[in-house]
Amino acid sequence: MQQISQADIAAMAPRYRVNFINSLSGFKSLNLVGTVNAAGQSNLAPFSSVVHLGADPALIGMVSRPDSVPRDTLNNILHTGWYSLNHVDADMLQQAHQCSARYPEQVSEFAATGLHEAYIEPCPAPLVAESPLSMLVEYKEHHRLSINNTILIVGQIHHVRLRDDVVRDSGYIDLEALGTLTCTGLDSYHRTQRISRLAYAKPDQPVREVDSSD
Amino acid sequence: MQQISQADIAAMAPRYRVNFINSLSGFKSLNLVGTVNAAGQSNLAPFSSVVHLGADPALIGMVSRPDSVPRDTLNNILHTGWYSLNHVDADMLQQAHQCSARYPEQVSEFAATGLHEAYIEPCPAPLVAESPLSMLVEYKEHHRLSINNTILIVGQIHHVRLRDDVVRDSGYIDLEALGTLTCTGLDSYHRTQRISRLAYAKPDQPVREVDSSD
């Protein structure tokens, strides 16, 4: 076993620590967040912090870094009240990664990377036409962490667009069949291979598999 | 393209909606959260909502459902100020899933599933001996969402224990080499297969791969 103490973490070079700590949470969701500003300029940014918050109402969260420097995505969400979340598959991976480059505010990442905008009423923010799964999200509330000014953005899911019919009988969406990718750290992208789906656990029953159609 | 409107979501049967909405955020981290109560009783629960919040200080978040019913993990964290996060690999998957069963409060999920407790000072909460990567986390703050009473728990990482030496030159931890799993929805577990690691994106440069040692 390798042990890394708090003193070891404190002594890490800043860039090394960023890579190390970013790896610890485990595999991450990968979404492109589409927004638009007051002038109608579209913006597209990769986020690896999207997290489920509730099914009824259908709520989803994401973490924005502190707004001590301008954050186009956060500003646009607070101004328009809307954003889109778009899964990323292997065909659009390089374009999605390139959206993390610091383009000038007047350059749309759609134009810069060749990804295409799509629109669904009533959301003024663009979806990514190439994405296998897109959602329209309406801003609801945000929370600023006292400890480092990071911001949790909370939104309600209004509409879902899926490329293929991969919704199973139970309502489960087979994201692996859809080609959705996952990521680790700041720069690593992964496909997945299902091991199993396991039935609702009960104290007095052994673990069992779910039917593949369910 | 398959379109699912807000009216479609509202009309879903509750269990179907839970499975559907839980799938939308994408691939999720999978961690067992180890805690202990005031009487010294250990507790172990799977969470799929652990998210990176910052590298310096090293902060990590997770989402707890509303405390309208007793939540042992949340109560134990608030009482002791400490918890552990433990990645899950294929060898311990069935035991990890079984920890989601509703055991009586006086039954430890460690004893019920056969996973083993380990302790590292100064954390009073147990780590999972079988886990490929464990962290000690000190509680810092929490935020309750107005919209559904869900709680974001924020903690600082104090110590990291890794089974193998998979920390690369840049500080990146190769979780795929470690065997860490990811999950989707409420019940599906996946291995991963790396597509690529991509260098820090710049507006005027093409996308390029990172060296595998980095």
Side-chain angles (χ1 to χ4, degrees):
Chain A
M1 286 285 181
Q2 187 178 4
Q3 309 282 346
I4 294 121
S5 71
Q6 194 178 16
D8 295 334
I9 294 171
M12 288 173 178
R15 195 70 201 161
Y16 186 98
R17 182 168 47 227
V18 165
N19 284 311
F20 182 82
I21 301 296
N22 261 283
S23 303
L24 290 175
S25 58
F27 284 90
K28 308 183 194 193
S29 55
L30 176 60
N31 283 275
L32 287 172
V33 181
T35 58
V36 65
N37 73 11
Q41 170 72 57
S42 62
N43 187 282
L44 192 60
F47 277 70
S48 62
S49 59
V50 171
V51 63
H52 171 79
L53 290 175
D56 189 20
L59 299 174
I60 199 158
M62 64 183 202
V63 176
S64 176
R65 287 184 290 177
D67 52 0
S68 50
V69 298
R71 300 283 176 202
D72 292 342
T73 298
L74 178 63
N75 291 344
N76 293 350
I77 290 172
L78 295 177
H79 184 81
T80 67
W82 287 92
Y83 51 111
S84 75
L85 295 176
N86 306 272
H87 288 200
V88 174
D89 68 12
D91 290 341
M92 59 187 284
L93 172 58
Q94 296 215 347
Q95 291 160 302
H97 182 79
Q98 187 62 24
C99 289
S100 64
R102 291 180 186 274
Y103 290 100
E105 189 186 348
Q106 68 275 17
V107 174
S108 168
E109 289 79 7
F110 283 98
T113 64
L115 292 170
H116 292 86
E117 301 178 16
Y119 290 88
I120 295 176
E121 293 289 335
C123 180
L127 281 67
V128 180
E130 289 83 353
S131 172
L133 188 158
S134 297
M135 292 162 262
L136 309 185
V137 187
E138 184 184 11
Y139 166 79
K140 286 296 177 182
E141 62 185 80
H142 70 277
H143 297 263
R144 185 182 298 270
L145 273 54
S146 312
I147 197 165
N148 73 346
N149 283 317
T150 291
I151 294 163
L152 174 72
I153 302 168
V154 179
Q156 181 167 356
I157 298 164
H158 274 250
H159 188 103
V160 180
R161 194 183 73 152
L162 287 156
R163 186 174 52 199
D164 306 312
D165 182 8
V166 291
V167 184
R168 305 302 176 213
D169 294 348
S170 65
Y172 171 75
I173 305 172
D174 190 341
L175 298 182
E176 187 167 294
L178 205 54
T180 295
L181 301 182
T182 176
C183 60
T184 52
L186 292 175
D187 60 19
S188 187
Y189 301 96
H190 311 253
R191 298 178 201 277
T192 62
Q193 187 177 6
R194 179 173 292 103
I195 297 175
S196 55
R197 289 182 57 205
L198 299 177
Y200 188 82
K202 295 185 177 176
D204 55 352
Q205 289 181 16
V207 174
R208 66 175 179 82
E209 300 266 340
V210 171
D211 288 340
S212 62
S213 64
D214 201 33
Chain B
M1 286 287 183
Q2 187 178 4
Q3 309 281 347
I4 295 120
S5 70
Q6 194 177 17
D8 295 333
I9 294 171
M12 289 175 179
R15 195 71 202 162
Y16 186 98
R17 182 167 49 228
V18 165
N19 284 311
F20 183 82
I21 301 295
N22 261 282
S23 303
L24 290 175
S25 58
F27 284 89
K28 307 183 194 192
S29 55
L30 175 60
N31 283 275
L32 287 172
V33 181
T35 57
V36 65
N37 72 11
Q41 171 72 56
S42 62
N43 187 281
L44 192 61
F47 277 70
S48 62
S49 58
V50 171
V51 63
H52 171 79
L53 290 176
D56 188 20
L59 298 175
I60 199 157
M62 63 183 202
V63 176
S64 177
R65 287 183 291 176
D67 52 0
S68 49
V69 299
R71 299 285 176 199
D72 293 342
T73 297
L74 178 63
N75 291 342
N76 293 350
I77 290 172
L78 295 177
H79 185 82
T80 67
W82 287 92
Y83 51 111
S84 75
L85 294 176
N86 305 271
H87 288 199
V88 174
D89 68 13
D91 290 341
M92 58 187 285
L93 171 58
Q94 296 216 349
Q95 291 159 303
H97 182 79
Q98 188 62 23
C99 289
S100 64
R102 291 181 187 272
Y103 290 102
E105 190 186 347
Q106 67 277 15
V107 174
S108 168
E109 288 79 6
F110 283 98
T113 64
L115 291 170
H116 292 87
E117 301 178 15
Y119 291 88
I120 296 176
E121 292 289 335
C123 181
L127 281 68
V128 180
E130 289 83 354
S131 172
L133 189 159
S134 297
M135 292 162 262
L136 309 185
V137 187
E138 184 183 12
Y139 166 79
K140 287 294 176 184
E141 61 185 80
H142 70 278
H143 297 261
R144 184 183 300 268
L145 273 54
S146 313
I147 197 165
N148 73 346
N149 283 318
T150 291
I151 294 163
L152 174 72
I153 303 169
V154 179
Q156 181 167 355
I157 298 163
H158 273 252
H159 189 104
V160 180
R161 195 184 72 154
L162 287 157
R163 187 174 53 200
D164 305 311
D165 182 8
V166 291
V167 184
R168 305 303 176 213
D169 294 348
S170 65
Y172 171 75
I173 306 172
D174 190 341
L175 298 182
E176 186 166 294
L178 205 55
T180 295
L181 300 182
T182 177
C183 58
T184 51
L186 293 174
D187 60 19
S188 186
Y189 300 96
H190 311 253
R191 298 179 201 277
T192 63
Q193 188 177 6
R194 179 173 292 103
I195 297 175
S196 56
R197 289 182 56 204
L198 299 178
Y200 189 83
K202 296 185 177 176
D204 55 351
Q205 289 180 17
V207 173
R208 66 175 180 82
E209 300 267 339
V210 170
D211 289 339
S212 62
S213 64
D214 200 34

